[in-house]
Amino acid sequence: MVSVNELSPAELAALLHFHADAGVEWLLEEEAVDRFAEFEAMKQARRNATAAPQSPAQPAAQHQAAAPAERAAPRPQPAIPDGEAVQQARFGAESARSLAELKTAIEAFNGCNLKHSARSTIFATGNAASGIMVIGSAPGADDDREGMPFAGRAGQLLDKMLMAIGLDREGILLTQVIPWRPPGNRVASPAEMEICRPFIERQIALAEPKAILLFGNFAARFFFGENDTIHGLRGQWKEIGAGPLTIPAIATLHPQDLLTAPINKRLAWSDLLAFQARLKSLGLIRK
């Protein structure tokens, strides 16, 4: 085993990046844990269990009959079939008559496996009465840790992007398609997408926005129903449906994409100006 003290700063940075890409968020426990002592205690417990003599007062047959019951351990509840989970999600979403009720319904919903690996349930924040809605793809590690959409460096860049067109996150409704972070920031599966669909569509229906800005490849594909990349989907106004509503929406690159490839900021800026122009024409921001 190589000690951390033996690594150069560059090697240590590469190791930390490797763990981050693999989905590891915390390298330290809240308190020190002696894993060697744990292992030794586990071995000793097994030796004691093997060496324990059979009680003479208990017949062998009775002891054998009792063994399966003693060995039996509680099993995790089976996963809800995808079709049933979609129905439950749809019922919970449609039963909500306000965003507050919908938030409660999502937090109580256990039909999506993503929830069991996530720390937080991410729900919309900001001003639902603004008529302006911004939707991202799925929570990242910072979002999951902070319990809010667009946290961390990507959130800081988002704030600058909104500010550049006269908006801020408190003055709009900010949310994400998927309310739980997929492990390792992987893309949500088609089944997970359909389970989460009723919740995001109900958020839109309850908020009744006049225009929507979509961030990222996943959100654009999810709402536009197309398989093109964000470069092919961005900058085009399309209509998306949510319940009885049909709302104009435009997609652009996700702030995280721009952190990775800053050269694409010029494309995002063009999309932001188009979004700003639509908001002005709708009277949602000052001209």
Side-chain angles (χ1 to χ4, degrees):
M1 180 181 296
V2 178
S3 171
V4 172
N5 296 330
E6 300 175 11
L7 298 178
S8 67
E11 291 172 331
L12 182 58
L15 179 61
L16 292 174
H17 282 298
F18 171 79
H19 285 302
D21 292 340
V24 177
E25 301 171 29
W26 298 99
L27 300 180
L28 300 176
E29 299 284 355
E30 296 291 339
E31 298 179 357
V33 178
D34 189 340
R35 300 299 182 190
F36 295 101
E38 280 188 353
F39 182 66
E40 291 299 327
M42 186 186 305
K43 289 197 300 182
Q44 184 62 44
R46 289 178 179 174
R47 286 196 293 265
N48 293 342
T50 303
Q54 179 178 316
S55 173
Q58 183 180 33
Q62 180 181 353
H63 178 76
Q64 293 173 358
E70 292 172 356
R71 288 195 301 267
R75 296 183 178 181
Q77 292 297 317
I80 300 175
D82 295 337
E84 184 178 341
V86 172
Q87 293 179 0
Q88 291 183 8
R90 186 175 296 120
F91 176 79
E94 293 176 353
S95 299
R97 291 294 175 264
S98 67
L99 287 172
E101 290 184 7
L102 181 60
K103 182 176 186 291
T104 300
I106 296 176
E107 290 174 340
F109 181 74
N110 292 311
C112 184
N113 64 298
L114 294 178
K115 181 178 182 180
H116 306 306
S117 60
R119 294 185 176 201
S120 306
T121 296
I122 308 300
F123 193 71
T125 62
N127 182 10
S130 65
I132 305 170
M133 196 166 188
V134 173
I135 305 177
S137 299
D142 291 322
D143 307 337
D144 193 34
R145 188 160 43 246
E146 299 295 332
M148 58 180 288
F150 289 95
R153 291 183 62 211
Q156 293 170 8
L157 180 54
L158 170 75
D159 291 339
K160 294 178 181 178
M161 295 168 70
L162 293 176
M163 187 181 303
I165 58 173
L167 301 174
D168 60 74
R169 67 167 67 211
E170 287 77 21
I172 63 172
L173 190 64
L174 185 64
T175 190
Q176 291 171 323
V177 174
I178 306 295
W180 303 287
R181 181 200 177 198
N185 292 341
R186 66 167 173 81
V187 177
S189 70
E192 292 163 348
M193 290 166 55
E194 292 310 307
I195 292 172
C196 294
R197 184 179 293 276
F199 294 129
I200 184 60
E201 291 185 345
R202 188 59 176 161
Q203 284 186 62
I204 297 172
L206 290 170
E208 299 182 344
K210 300 296 189 297
I212 294 176
L213 175 62
L214 303 174
F215 274 117
N217 192 65
F218 179 86
R221 287 181 174 182
F222 182 90
F223 285 107
F224 295 162
E226 302 178 29
N227 292 322
D228 204 349
T229 66
I230 188 61
H231 289 277
L233 297 174
R234 54 155 291 273
Q236 307 172 49
W237 282 101
K238 300 177 183 288
E239 291 188 339
I240 62 177
L245 303 179
T246 301
I247 304 141
I250 190 171
T252 191
L253 291 96
H254 196 282
Q256 188 61 52
D257 298 333
L258 301 178
L259 290 173
T260 304
I263 193 173
N264 289 325
K265 287 183 178 181
R266 56 188 177 83
L267 302 177
W269 176 238
S270 175
D271 301 334
L272 289 174
L273 291 177
F275 187 62
Q276 182 189 49
R278 177 61 68 96
L279 297 182
K280 287 180 178 179
S281 69
L282 295 172
L284 298 176
I285 58 176
R286 295 179 181 179
K287 296 184 178 180

